[in-house]
Amino acid sequence: MSLYGTMRTGVSGMNAQANRLGTVAENIANSSTVGYKKASVQFSSMILPATGGAYNSGGVETDIRYSISDQGTFSYTTSATDLAINGNGFFIVSGGDGVEYLTRAGSFEMMDDGTLRNAAGYTLMGYEYSSTSDPTIVVNGFEGLTPVNLSSASISATASTEGQLNVNLPSGEAAGYSKSTSLVAYDSQGNSRLLEFTYIKTAANTWTVEANYAGPPVTTVIPTTTLNFDANGKLTSPTSLTTTAFAVDGANMGAIAIDISGSTQLAAAFSVETGAKINGNAASEVVGYEIDEKGVVSVVYDNGDLTPRYRVALATVQSPDNLTPIAGNLYSQSNDSGVIVMGYAGSAGFGTILSGALEDSNVDVAEELTAMIESQRNYTANSKVFQTGSELMDVLVNLKR
């Protein structure tokens, strides 16, 4: 074995342990970083061919690996915009350069412009919510994504358009018996309007109903309508009533379709069945936000209503551990990671979103300290090999003197 080879092998070992100490230092430094995935060093031997019975010492090579697919534990917070992914997937975020990246760091906070940004300053991306269907996803690209922005959330009012009112009319009452009930409806400006229904028995199995908005001014919106019941006390016609639209105080009171198909005429007191309602809501202010396990971002109003605005998109790749790490706890696609696949939380291949939670670093500090001690001892041992080779080289050189 050549003395030069001995020294070269010692240097190789010191470089390898220095790499390992570098990953240990980074892991310990980021042990409290949200969503951080630990780095590790894998060693492999370099073997040189022996020549003429002489052994040529090789060395050691290192390969850096990242445990990106290893999920950390969760810490729970009081902020609804703190997000964690339970299972597979990454959030898509965008930086000031307009380029999209992947991350597991979900410490998002609403900025003054309404966007949600994490601690590294990257903006959460998603799709505008549709109540009729999920947005169309470009499976292998980021097209169609838009920043999740809640700045447009403000005072909201929704006009009434439909409702339900099922009652029981007492069959034993005489003709001329009258009874009233009412429901609240809302105009286009969110003003509440009391809609009063009056039922009058006119004959066996026959009643009339009329509906008026309490004034001022009192406005008849359903003129006298005849209700017909069969011998079993079930309503035969009509099964629905529609109010007449009109303008009032600068607002529009739209037509409202009211389902009455479940009304009955039985030998019991007058009663309004559970579920009587008219949709719409009065003017309400935003009091907060909610993000459910499927990533639907909703605005919460002071009347308790939820209005969905966005749906958070997730992405994954075939080999997450081979993604390219980028400063800011970000990842980008590499040649070895496979292509990026887009989807939604809760769908096949993707985990669910936890609101009010953050994913902890997957670093085990005790394990890293143990690795640090091992690397320190191994580095010292390799330095001794180098030192011994150097001393023997001096002896060899001095033989000529």
Side-chain angles (χ1 to χ4, degrees):
M1 176 176 68
S2 70
L3 295 179
Y4 174 75
T6 300
M7 296 169 65
R8 183 188 62 227
T9 300
V11 171
S12 173
M14 286 189 288
N15 285 335
Q17 295 303 324
N19 283 343
R20 188 185 188 193
L21 283 169
T23 62
V24 168
E26 181 180 350
N27 290 341
I28 293 176
N30 286 280
S31 60
S32 298
T33 300
V34 173
Y36 175 80
K37 303 301 181 180
K38 70 178 181 180
S40 61
V41 174
Q42 303 297 318
F43 297 90
S44 59
S45 61
M46 292 192 303
I47 299 177
L48 300 180
T51 57
Y55 181 75
N56 288 329
S57 60
V60 61
E61 291 181 315
T62 57
D63 179 48
I64 308 300
R65 297 185 182 179
Y66 295 89
S67 300
I68 300 173
S69 60
D70 183 9
Q71 181 170 291
T73 58
F74 299 116
S75 295
Y76 294 91
T77 73
T78 58
S79 174
T81 57
D82 280 340
L83 305 177
I85 301 173
N86 185 15
N88 296 329
F90 298 85
F91 298 112
I92 300 101
V93 294
S94 177
D97 56 2
V99 177
E100 287 83 6
Y101 302 96
L102 310 183
T103 187
R104 295 279 292 196
S107 54
F108 296 105
E109 182 179 1
M110 191 171 77
M111 301 290 102
D112 55 4
D113 62 355
T115 59
L116 296 178
R117 298 181 192 172
N118 64 13
Y122 289 85
T123 302
L124 179 65
M125 306 295 285
Y127 297 95
E128 292 187 1
Y129 183 83
S130 171
S131 60
T132 56
S133 62
D134 286 334
T136 301
I137 291 180
V138 178
V139 176
N140 61 344
F142 298 121
E143 286 77 6
L145 286 172
T146 184
V148 175
N149 191 313
L150 301 176
S151 61
S152 60
S154 58
I155 296 177
S156 173
T158 306
S160 299
T161 57
E162 61 183 11
Q164 179 177 299
L165 178 61
N166 293 316
V167 300
N168 179 68
L169 302 173
S171 60
E173 298 292 343
Y177 171 83
S178 175
K179 196 70 176 179
S180 298
T181 190
S182 59
L183 292 174
V184 173
Y186 299 95
D187 64 25
S188 59
Q189 296 181 358
N191 299 299
S192 61
R193 305 289 177 178
L194 190 63
L195 183 57
E196 186 173 281
F197 297 81
T198 301
Y199 300 86
I200 301 175
K201 185 171 184 178
T202 58
N205 297 337
T206 305
W207 295 68
T208 62
V209 63
E210 180 181 288
N212 301 279
Y213 279 113
V218 175
T219 305
T220 300
V221 291
I222 298 178
T224 301
T225 302
T226 301
L227 305 179
N228 299 302
F229 296 87
D230 62 18
N232 296 318
K234 296 186 178 297
L235 181 67
T236 57
S237 66
T239 58
S240 66
L241 304 171
T242 301
T243 66
T244 303
F246 67 99
V248 54
D249 297 333
N252 294 321
M253 193 70 241
I256 304 174
I258 302 173
D259 180 9
I260 61 169
S261 60
S263 295
T264 57
Q265 179 200 242
L266 300 172
F270 177 87
S271 63
V272 179
E273 295 185 9
T274 302
K277 61 183 179 180
I278 290 179
N279 68 354
N281 63 264
S284 301
E285 295 186 356
V286 176
V287 295
Y289 307 95
E290 284 190 8
I291 303 175
D292 67 17
E293 63 179 8
K294 294 184 178 180
V296 177
V297 183
S298 300
V299 177
V300 182
Y301 291 95
D302 59 6
N303 63 356
D305 287 346
L306 292 177
T307 302
R309 292 297 180 91
Y310 291 90
R311 187 156 188 191
V312 176
L314 297 183
T316 190
V317 293
Q318 290 87 343
S319 181
D321 291 342
N322 285 315
L323 287 167
T324 300
I326 299 173
N329 219 357
L330 307 174
Y331 305 99
S332 65
Q333 179 181 325
S334 71
N335 292 332
D336 297 324
S337 67
V339 298
I340 291 175
V341 178
M342 301 287 293
Y344 288 127
S347 59
F350 295 91
T352 57
I353 290 179
L354 302 178
S355 177
L358 295 172
E359 183 178 357
D360 299 328
S361 163
N362 62 2
V363 173
D364 184 332
V365 175
E367 181 180 311
E368 297 301 319
L369 291 175
T370 301
M372 181 172 63
I373 295 171
E374 290 176 352
S375 294
Q376 181 182 12
R377 290 178 176 176
N378 290 340
Y379 189 97
T380 301
N382 279 284
S383 70
K384 291 294 184 183
V385 171
F386 180 86
Q387 185 178 10
T388 299
S390 177
E391 292 172 352
L392 292 176
M393 185 69 74
D394 288 341
V395 171
L396 180 61
V397 171
N398 290 331
L399 286 176
K400 185 177 179 182
R401 296 177 182 177

